[in-house]
């Protein structure tokens, strides 16, 4: 005789949590435009109009991404970055009317992951946000500490060993130091002065031609197409970035 008991209830479907973006911007109109565009991406957007409420929201919400204006009524966005980086690695895209190269370098060195000058294209902001979120997800699946991979290249920072397609690549000490600095900040732009100081010392912080020469050498040894690099990228007038995905 068949059982008359009701079938067991199906387990509730699970969905991935929505991406949360914190927008720290004092101009209400810009907040509205950005929020509406990001909500169309299916993202949840929180807003703050100043440094202190922005930091409070960052700590409370633990967002996946922060979009930050530098000119805020209660302080400078650089102060926000300095405080945030003491306790959070949340990626930050700076969205600012300050378009001078020095402002970009200062923000990147303070811990920003990307920089977009106003006036800006909403399509470009969304594309940069998607790319930043993608890199963040990939970072969660990275190799064990000390091992960095991009393309068919593996960099073992503990053993100071570099290989391409399984074969050892000989780098000069200077080439290795430059690669190691970029690998230690993978997927983030490292400014020219910071690279020069880290590799050659503070007295060479203005000798940009060193970087051009040695980056060219690294590309010839590690990129499949040195003239069209996919991983060792130039951020024009700002610095260089090692892109893991490419």
């Amino acid at each position: 005789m068949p059982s008359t008991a009701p079938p067991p209830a199906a387990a509730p479907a699970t969905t991935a949590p929505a991406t949360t973006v914190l927008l720290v911007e004092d101009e209400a109109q810009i907040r509205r435009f950005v929020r509406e565009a990001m909500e169309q991406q299916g993202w949840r957007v929180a807003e703050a109009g100043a440094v202190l409420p922005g930091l409070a929201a960052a700590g409370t919400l633990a967002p996946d991404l922060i979009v930050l204006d530098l000119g805020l009524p209660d302080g400078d966005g650089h102060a926000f970055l300095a405080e945030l980086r003491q306790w959070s690695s949340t990626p930050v895209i700076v969205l600012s009317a300050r378009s001078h190269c020095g402002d970009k370098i200062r923000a990147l060195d303070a811990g920003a992951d990307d920089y977009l000058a106003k006036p800006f294209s909403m399509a470009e902001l969304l594309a940069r946000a998607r790319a930043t979120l993608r890199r963040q997800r990939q970072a969660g699946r990275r190799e064990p500490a000390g091992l960095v991979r991009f393309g068919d290249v593996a960099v073992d920072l503990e053993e100071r060993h570099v290989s391409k397609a399984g074969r050892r690549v000989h780098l000069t000490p200077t080439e290795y130091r430059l690669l190691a600095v970029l690998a230690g900040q993978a997927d983030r732009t490292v400014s020219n002065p910071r690279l020069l100081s880290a590799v050659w010392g503070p007295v060479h912080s203005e000798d940009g031609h060193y970087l051009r020469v040695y980056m060219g050498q690294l590309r010839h040894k590690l990129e499949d197409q040195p003239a069209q690099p996919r991983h060792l990228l130039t951020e024009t007038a700002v610095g260089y970035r090692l892109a893991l995905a490419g």
Side-chain angles (χ1 to χ4, degrees), residues 2 9 17-18 26 41 58 88 91 100 126 134 136 157 163 179 186 210 216 228 246:
D26 65 329
Q41 301 285 307
S88 173
H100 189 272
L126 292 175
R134 187 166 58 247
Q136 184 76 350
L157 296 172
S163 62
L179 179 62
Y210 287 5
Q228 296 179 309

Side-chain angles (χ1 to χ4, degrees), residues 143-148 155-159:
E143 303 288 346
L147 184 62
V148 178
V155 183
D156 189 327
L157 296 172
E158 294 183 357
E159 299 295 329

Side-chain angles (χ1 to χ4, degrees), residues 223-239:
E223 292 277 7
D224 293 334
Q225 299 182 57
Q228 296 179 309
R230 296 177 56 197
H231 301 283
L232 295 165
L233 306 180
T234 301
E235 300 290 350
T236 305
V238 176

Side-chain angles (χ1 to χ4, degrees), residues 202-213:
V203 296
H204 295 285
S205 62
E206 301 298 326
D207 296 331
H209 62 283
Y210 287 5
L211 286 175
R212 290 189 293 273
V213 170

Side-chain angles (χ1 to χ4, degrees), residues 86-103:
Q86 292 184 34
W87 45 268
S88 173
S89 60
T90 300
V92 176
I93 298 178
V94 168
L95 188 63
S96 176
R98 305 177 191 176
S99 58
H100 189 272
C101 180
D103 292 311

